[in-house]
Structure formats: structure tokens, C-alpha cells
Amino acid sequence: MNEFELINRYFRDERPRAGVALGIGDDAAVLALPAASQLVVSVDTLVAGRHFPENAEPAAIAQRALAVSLSDLAAMGADARWFTLSLTLPEADEPWLEQFSAGLKAAAEAYGCALVGGDTTRGALTIGVQVMGCVPHGQAISRCGAKPGDRIFVTGSLGDGAGALKVLAEEHALDTAERDYLRQRYYQPMARLEDGVKLRGVASAAIDISDGLLADLEHICERSSVGARIEVEKLPVSPALRKLASVKQCFQWALAGGDDYQLCFTVPAACIAALEALRADGLKAEPIGEIRADSGIECWLNGEPFVSESTGYQHFD
Amino acid sequence: MNEFELINRYFRDERPRAGVALGIGDDAAVLALPAASQLVVSVDTLVAGRHFPENAEPAAIAQRALAVSLSDLAAMGADARWFTLSLTLPEADEPWLEQFSAGLKAAAEAYGCALVGGDTTRGALTIGVQVMGCVPHGQAISRCGAKPGDRIFVTGSLGDGAGALKVLAEEHALDTAERDYLRQRYYQPMARLEDGVKLRGVASAAIDISDGLLADLEHICERSSVGARIEVEKLPVSPALRKLASVKQCFQWALAGGDDYQLCFTVPAACIAALEALRADGLKAEPIGEIRADSGIECWLNGEPFVSESTGYQHFD
């Protein structure tokens, strides 16, 4: 099987797709954006043994690869439209490809995001996904807009990614239901695209939590030249995580564990009413602290200073 | 040095760039396309030891990676605007990164193409480049439009990529000037972006020659449901290549060698006058054959059938 046969068999999809003038099978894809919109682009590379276990199920790897890339679009308030796939494989393993492409198709379908191109090469298993979406002109949510006094929110439970890694490494015993929940949170994190779209015009800054709440909130603080105070007892923690460890350990994971793919965002006082209306309409968002003028992030647990054991995943350390 | 320091030191560029509302340093880049244009996107992954020698100079690798990706935009008639970089490295080797980023910046500057995002991960040396450009709405040149009777052209000399590999492997002795020419053709192939833009409305189909003329022309033939006849003696061969081997060997490399990154394109009779005007105005384009109704590609050398030894680089064989 050569590269072209591989692409035809596992990745081509001839159905017409919104905005796709020319998809897989030419030198490049040709795409049409909606009027008065801007393009939002992000790329993520997952390396086997580093970003997912070597023996992970191919369908789960595909779903995770797409979700973590789309999570960056969610943090910008963009919708998800198209993606390209760079697949590096040690060999053209047909059962693996069958499952990987089935997982990828299911995830792409769920997100309404069309595969429009890519390439396959031989080498150590590595999955690169570049995602493309759109925002109405000028409405992207950056990391730069947080101001002192803005409230800080997260879209859902934190620490599950770190807990899942313990479960996957079988360091902890858990009932099947909680184990499955945490596995799914790791392999099939949901990119919070709908939440991000709702936050246009409401959030002053946003980021997705991939490296851990403290590390990612620190990016907002740096780019916005502000600091933050976190009320640790307000961090949302799932019931499954609570069964795995003490409440303090859960908070440590919630602060620094990473791999959660919730959104962390800031809301100025003038937009709190709009946010409350969104929450009343079903948006999950929990207040966890406040932006401060002084740099640095302070953590408090029930009025006492709380020290995080780690500040998150550091690439290339 | 962590990932963020690495990106800041080697890849961030704060200068304002056309169409870049938000570049490196946020969750995603935000880009504005010109009015009435479509987005053209392609991605290429280069793996060390497979797509370039392990010991190749970092600046040359960077230049080659960008050029081979941009070559796909050239084949669509698109301009080059932005790109993202996925860099997988065994370690954060500072001298290597210094040279790689210098080579990348020089190439990006030469093509007028801005780096807007990307990621760095640890693993076997692999370079992924996704390029983005634009075409006026509906003017992209696909592989699908070739019709029987269309003339086939190439934009410049063929076989140099294959010859360069022999020189790099030191299988052939050559004078310094020719050696340097071939090395440069391999490491710094020029994406024919200006040629591609000129061919809008003139070429009925186009492709860039990465796998070899026969293999790539076959893609046009398949997608257009046609065949082709090549007059082998018309294939442009460089003086440096002629010094390296017999004329027949040069033609073999020209037909199947790959790594040339010239454009191969087809022109209907109605557009030949427009093409001649472009050639008179400086466009390099040599006629090499004709599209036929019958499938398959025939090669003729001075009126005799000519058999190609190989049909080009087959990925995953």
C-alpha cells in the first residue's frame, strides 16, 4: 500500500462539506470563509510515549488528537470548520489505520469539522493536527484582555486528566464507573467549542487548560500584565476524582495536573450580568477567583495560603 | 529552557504582518483574508533520515521544509501568506535551533510568508510545516481540468533533485560550481509561487513535481480522466546535471527523479496565446508533450518509445 492508496482507503471523504471548494486529493485544499469573518488556526503534535501511552487504542488517540487541537479554537471563541492531519507511522498497519480513521471520523463528525488534507510519512508514531475555524471579525478572545477586578471562571471539573493518568498507570484501584469516566476524560476530552462561542463579547480573556490551571492562567496574567488570586475550595472537582484521593490531593491535581481541556476565562464587572444569563441558559461556569493588579498567582484554601506542589507540565525541561 | 522560552527566543517575531490580527503567543493565530478570496492550505512533514540527511545543515533543512510546502501553494496558483511550524526535536540543542531559526526566517522573508504559530515537542527530529495562502475566489488551479489536446509544460530543469542526491552521497565527482548548484537545488528548491500566480486563468491543471514528473503528471491524468504523451528530448536538463551523467541517465532522472519542485501544467489551445505572452514577459515554461484521451503516459525519445526505469518515489512501499 503506497501513500495514495492509504489516504484513499482510510481518509478520503467525497461528501460535499461546508466551505470546502477542494478537499483531499489535490496539491492543497481550497476553503471559503463566511463573509466578515477571520480565520483562527492552531496546530498540535502528539508523540507516542510522550503525549499518549504507546499501547493506547488507535480510535482514542485520534479522538484525543482532534479534541486537544480544537480546544485551542474553543479558547479563542472560534467555531470548528476544517482540519489537516500529519500522520507519521512506523508502518502501514491496516488494523491500526482502520481503527484510527474510524475514531477520527467519529470525532470529526461530532465536532462538525471536515478533514481537508494532510500527509503520511514513515517514522516514529506522531500525530499532527492543524485545526481551522472562524470568528466574526474582531471577536476572537485572546489572552491579553484581563484587567484587575475581572472574575475568573472555569467551565467544568479540573484534575480529572491527572487522575486519569494514575488510573491508566494502575496506581489506584477504582470502581468501573469512575475508572471509565476518568479514562474518557483523558482520551476523549471535549473541546468546549460551544462554550467558547457563547463567551464572545463576555470574556475579557480566555485559555484552555492543557498544562494545568496555574500554568495556563499564568499565560493570561503575563500577556495581560496582571496577577490573580484563586480560592482553591471553589475549584470544581468530579465525584470520580474524589473517590481516588484526598480532597487536598484533588486540589493539587486541579491546580497543576493538566490535560483537562476546560476553559479558564475572565469576565469584567460590566459583563457579569451577561455571564449569569448564559449560566441560567445552561453554560457550565464556576467562579474560582479574581484578577489582581499585582503580578503572580496566589492560592487560598478557606482563607489560608495554599501551596501548589507543582506549577504544571513544562515542555522541554 | 522550556517550550515557551524556546519559542520566545527562536521563533517569536513581534513585527506587524499583513493579515495577522494575532500571531505567536496565544491559543491560536487570528488571520484576515483579503476580500473575495479563498484560503489555500497544505501541510508537509519532513522526517530526518528519510526526507533529508541526518547531518544536514539546520538552516538548509528549514529552507527546504518551507519551500516544499510552499511549492504546493504555487501549484494551486495561490500566493503565500502565513505558516505554522511543528518542530519535534530530540533535545533543545541551542546552536542547532539558532541556525534552524535563522534559515527559517531568511526563507520566510524571501517568500513574504509570516510564521504565525506552531508547537515544539520532544521526539525524533521531524519538521511539519503548514502553509496558508490565498487565491481570488474560484481561480485556484486544480489537478482536474486537463483535456485532450492541452499542451503540457514545465517551469524549469528536471532531474536536478535526483542528481543532487548522488552528489550529496558523494557517488559522483563534480567541479565545485556544479556541485554547489545541485546542492542548492536540493536544499533550497524555489517554490514557483510567482509562476503559479501568472498561470491563473491560463493553465487548465497544475501540480508541483515532488515525486517525479511521471508520478506527478499521472495524478493530473487520473484526476482529469485523461492520458499524456511526453517528448523526452524536450525535457529541460541543467548543464550541471549533464556533467554528472549521460543524456539518457539525465532523462531518466528528469522523468522519475523527484525533488525538483518545478510546476508541471497543462494549457488548452484557447490559452496558448496568453501563455506565449507570459513567456515573452519572462515566464520560464518549456513544452514537453500533450494530453491525450487514452489513459496512461507514453514517453517518446526522438520518435522512438522510451522506457522509464522507475515511476518515482513511492511513499510507504
Side-chain angles (χ1 to χ4, degrees):
Chain A
M1 184 165 49
N2 69 29
E3 176 175 25
F4 312 111
E5 289 160 355
L6 190 160
I7 290 168
N8 278 337
R9 189 175 313 171
Y10 296 109
F11 297 108
R12 184 164 288 176
D13 182 348
E14 301 284 1
R15 288 175 295 168
R17 297 297 194 139
V20 182
L22 201 56
I24 294 171
D26 217 295
D27 290 289
V30 180
L31 306 168
L33 276 68
S37 66
Q38 287 173 310
L39 177 69
V40 183
V41 175
S42 182
V43 60
D44 269 292
T45 306
L46 305 189
V47 178
R50 187 155 183 88
H51 300 101
F52 57 87
E54 300 266 8
N55 63 352
E57 284 175 23
I61 298 169
Q63 289 166 343
R64 180 168 162 75
L66 187 60
V68 303
S69 287
L70 289 175
S71 182
D72 287 316
L73 296 193
M76 305 299 293
D79 60 19
R81 292 188 179 242
W82 314 292
F83 70 105
T84 61
L85 171 70
S86 300
L87 187 57
T88 304
L89 291 171
E91 57 184 339
D93 173 338
E94 301 196 16
W96 192 96
L97 279 162
E98 191 76 54
Q99 293 169 54
F100 180 87
S101 69
L104 191 70
K105 270 177 201 160
E109 208 71 44
Y111 286 113
C113 190
L115 178 64
V116 295
D119 68 343
T120 59
T121 47
R122 203 190 282 266
L125 179 59
T126 305
I127 294 138
V129 172
Q130 166 140 0
V131 288
M132 290 163 275
C134 296
V135 283
H137 193 94
Q139 291 192 33
I141 307 166
S142 77
R143 299 176 178 177
C144 313
K147 296 267 187 306
D150 288 2
R151 299 290 298 277
I152 306 168
F153 293 82
V154 294
T155 52
S157 55
L158 300 180
D160 288 341
L165 281 178
K166 297 286 176 190
V167 170
L168 292 170
E170 313 218 13
E171 289 177 24
H172 286 265
L174 257 198
D175 289 349
T176 311
E178 284 93 22
R179 171 179 286 265
D180 288 351
Y181 166 84
L182 289 174
R183 272 176 178 278
Q184 180 162 9
R185 286 277 288 131
Y186 182 80
Y187 279 118
Q188 299 172 300
M190 284 297 297
R192 315 291 301 188
L193 286 155
E194 289 176 17
D195 295 349
V197 168
K198 288 177 186 172
L199 292 172
R200 292 175 191 163
V202 174
S204 51
I207 194 167
D208 71 315
I209 301 174
S210 54
D211 293 341
L213 174 65
L214 289 179
D216 290 314
L217 179 57
E218 179 62 27
H219 293 310
I220 287 184
C221 290
E222 273 175 24
R223 299 273 292 181
S224 299
S225 304
V226 294
R229 176 184 164 125
I230 301 288
E231 313 296 339
V232 174
E233 70 277 11
K234 294 188 178 166
L235 297 178
V237 167
S238 71
L241 198 68
R242 277 295 290 117
K243 288 212 178 171
L244 197 62
S246 71
V247 65
K248 283 213 170 175
Q249 178 61 65
C250 288
F251 287 147
Q252 293 289 0
W253 284 334
L255 285 169
D259 280 325
D260 281 323
Y261 301 102
Q262 301 291 353
L263 302 184
C264 172
F265 61 96
T266 60
V267 179
C271 296
I272 288 290
L275 182 75
E276 291 307 328
L278 289 172
R279 291 177 74 190
D281 203 37
L283 176 70
K284 265 183 75 181
E286 298 300 325
I288 60 162
E290 195 177 283
I291 295 294
R292 298 291 188 89
D294 293 341
S295 65
I297 303 178
E298 287 175 16
C299 296
W300 293 78
L301 178 61
N302 300 319
E304 301 281 332
F306 185 85
V307 177
S308 167
E309 288 162 1
S310 151
T311 53
Y313 179 69
Q314 291 287 313
H315 313 252
F316 270 104
D317 267 4
Chain B
M1 184 165 47
N2 68 30
E3 176 174 26
F4 312 111
E5 289 160 357
L6 190 160
I7 290 168
N8 278 335
R9 189 175 313 170
Y10 297 109
F11 297 108
R12 184 165 288 176
D13 182 348
E14 300 285 0
R15 288 176 294 170
R17 299 297 195 137
V20 182
L22 201 56
I24 294 171
D26 217 295
D27 289 290
V30 180
L31 306 168
L33 276 68
S37 66
Q38 287 173 310
L39 176 69
V40 184
V41 175
S42 182
V43 60
D44 269 291
T45 306
L46 304 190
V47 178
R50 186 154 184 90
H51 299 101
F52 57 87
E54 301 265 7
N55 63 350
E57 286 176 21
I61 298 169
Q63 290 166 342
R64 180 169 162 76
L66 188 58
V68 304
S69 288
L70 289 175
S71 182
D72 286 316
L73 296 193
M76 305 300 293
D79 60 19
R81 293 190 178 242
W82 313 293
F83 71 106
T84 61
L85 172 70
S86 299
L87 187 57
T88 304
L89 291 172
E91 55 183 341
D93 174 338
E94 300 196 16
W96 192 96
L97 279 161
E98 191 76 55
Q99 293 168 55
F100 181 86
S101 68
L104 192 69
K105 271 177 199 159
E109 208 71 44
Y111 286 113
C113 190
L115 179 63
V116 296
D119 68 343
T120 59
T121 48
R122 204 190 279 269
L125 179 60
T126 306
I127 294 137
V129 172
Q130 168 141 357
V131 289
M132 291 164 275
C134 297
V135 284
H137 193 95
Q139 290 192 32
I141 307 166
S142 77
R143 298 177 177 175
C144 313
K147 294 268 187 307
D150 288 1
R151 299 289 298 277
I152 306 167
F153 293 82
V154 293
T155 52
S157 56
L158 300 180
D160 288 340
L165 281 178
K166 297 286 175 189
V167 169
L168 291 169
E170 313 218 13
E171 287 177 26
H172 285 266
L174 256 197
D175 289 348
T176 311
E178 283 94 21
R179 173 180 284 267
D180 288 351
Y181 165 84
L182 290 174
R183 271 176 178 279
Q184 180 162 8
R185 287 276 288 130
Y186 182 79
Y187 278 118
Q188 299 171 300
M190 284 297 296
R192 315 292 301 186
L193 286 155
E194 290 176 17
D195 296 349
V197 167
K198 289 178 185 171
L199 293 173
R200 293 174 189 162
V202 174
S204 51
I207 193 166
D208 72 314
I209 302 174
S210 53
D211 293 342
L213 174 65
L214 289 179
D216 289 314
L217 179 57
E218 179 63 26
H219 293 309
I220 288 185
C221 290
E222 274 175 24
R223 297 273 291 182
S224 300
S225 304
V226 294
R229 176 182 165 127
I230 301 289
E231 313 296 339
V232 175
E233 69 278 8
K234 295 188 178 166
L235 297 178
V237 167
S238 71
L241 198 69
R242 277 294 290 117
K243 287 211 178 170
L244 198 62
S246 71
V247 65
K248 283 213 170 175
Q249 179 60 68
C250 288
F251 286 147
Q252 293 288 0
W253 284 334
L255 285 169
D259 281 323
D260 282 322
Y261 300 103
Q262 302 290 353
L263 302 183
C264 172
F265 60 95
T266 60
V267 179
C271 295
I272 288 290
L275 182 76
E276 290 307 327
L278 290 172
R279 291 177 73 190
D281 202 37
L283 175 71
K284 267 182 74 179
E286 298 299 325
I288 61 163
E290 196 177 282
I291 295 295
R292 300 290 190 87
D294 293 341
S295 65
I297 302 179
E298 288 177 15
C299 296
W300 293 77
L301 177 63
N302 300 319
E304 301 281 331
F306 184 86
V307 178
S308 166
E309 288 162 359
S310 152
T311 52
Y313 179 69
Q314 290 287 314
H315 313 252
F316 269 105
D317 267 4

